[in-house]
DNA sequence: GCCAACGTTGGC
DNA sequence: GCCAACGTTGGC
């Protein structure tokens, strides 16, 4: 396993949990991911990896801040909680299905980097940039160093 | 609110 | 193992 810091993009609906919420709490366990691909990406995360914080399902979807991975992946406790929206009856403490990582606030961007503007750089970002793939619904995705640089240069 | 895209479930 | 039905995501 490489020791190089890697980069990711994580989506959140600001009505549920925004970049300002993260700024307030400092560090947040990223509960509720119930997609295997997204879970597997979180399992690849290492402490210190960079995270682009993306607001989805809102008036101006886009990248709004930078965070960093603050823990290795560990079982998402909400999967065991029958009261939780994220409860998964097929999960047991012996055999958990869902993991999460802790995410720590780094900074807000000077402005929201809107999806619409990101789209205009689709060619430079390349085919492997999952955010712009057709019908993309992935909430956790990898970002290459080149994509990271390009996106932050737009700020 | 609409709808396209996609993942998951379950019957067969 | 196929595939239709269903639920969810997320931009608009």
């Amino acid at each position: 396993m490489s020791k190089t810091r890697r980069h990711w993009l994580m989506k959140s609906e600001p009505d549920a949990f925004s970049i300002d919420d993260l700024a307030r709490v400092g560090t947040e366990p990223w509960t509720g991911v119930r997609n295997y691909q997204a879970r597997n990406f979180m399992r690849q995360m290492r402490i210190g990896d960079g995270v682009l914080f993306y607001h989805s399902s809102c008036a101006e979807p886009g990248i709004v801040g930078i965070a960093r991975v603050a823990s290795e992946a560990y079982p998402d406790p909400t999967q065991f909680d029958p009261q939780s929206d994220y409860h998964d009856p097929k999960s047991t403490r012996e055999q958990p299905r869902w993991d999460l990582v802790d995410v720590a606030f780094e900074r807000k961007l000077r402005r929201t980097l809107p999806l619409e503007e990101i789209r205009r750089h689709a060619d430079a970002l390349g085919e492997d940039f999952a955010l712009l793939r057709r019908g993309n619904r992935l909430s956790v995705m990898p970002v290459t160093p080149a994509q990271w640089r390009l996106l932050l240069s737009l700020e």
Side-chain angles (χ1 to χ4, degrees):
Chain A
M1 189 63 59
S2 160
K3 285 183 182 169
T4 313
R5 165 181 142 107
R6 278 180 291 183
H7 305 91
W8 310 92
L9 182 146
M10 298 174 88
K11 293 179 185 173
S12 186
E13 298 185 17
D15 288 348
F17 190 79
S18 71
I19 188 70
D20 290 322
D21 292 325
L22 185 62
R24 196 170 311 120
V25 298
T27 302
E28 179 74 4
W30 205 263
T31 54
V33 171
R34 295 293 180 270
N35 169 284
Y36 289 105
Q37 220 184 330
R39 179 202 67 183
N40 293 342
F41 285 136
M42 288 198 294
R43 287 181 173 173
Q44 295 174 27
M45 291 181 179
R46 297 295 175 261
I47 292 172
D49 282 0
V51 175
L52 297 171
F53 196 110
Y54 179 93
H55 278 175
S56 66
S57 294
C58 57
E60 193 179 35
I63 297 167
V64 293
I66 299 177
R68 68 179 178 280
V69 174
S71 77
E72 305 269 311
Y74 63 95
D76 179 345
T78 64
Q79 71 193 303
F80 310 123
D81 177 4
Q83 311 299 339
S84 169
D85 287 347
Y86 302 132
H87 179 235
D88 185 342
K90 292 178 187 152
S91 280
T92 64
R93 287 182 187 279
E94 294 70 34
Q95 294 228 302
R97 310 172 98 194
W98 305 111
D99 281 0
L100 54 68
V101 295
D102 294 343
V103 172
F105 179 77
E106 210 139 87
R107 67 177 179 89
K108 285 177 77 168
L109 298 193
R110 290 188 284 276
R111 65 181 181 103
T112 296
L113 192 54
L115 177 61
E116 173 261 321
E117 184 178 341
I118 295 168
R119 274 223 173 87
R120 284 189 249 137
H121 300 270
D123 286 348
L125 287 162
E127 302 253 313
D128 63 337
F129 188 52
L131 187 70
L132 298 184
R133 280 207 214 112
R134 200 169 57 109
N136 158 64
R137 300 186 326 183
L138 200 55
S139 65
V140 177
M141 65 191 77
V143 175
T144 67
Q147 290 160 352
W148 176 275
R149 260 195 315 277
L150 191 155
L151 289 165
L152 291 184
S153 78
L154 302 176
E155 180 189 4

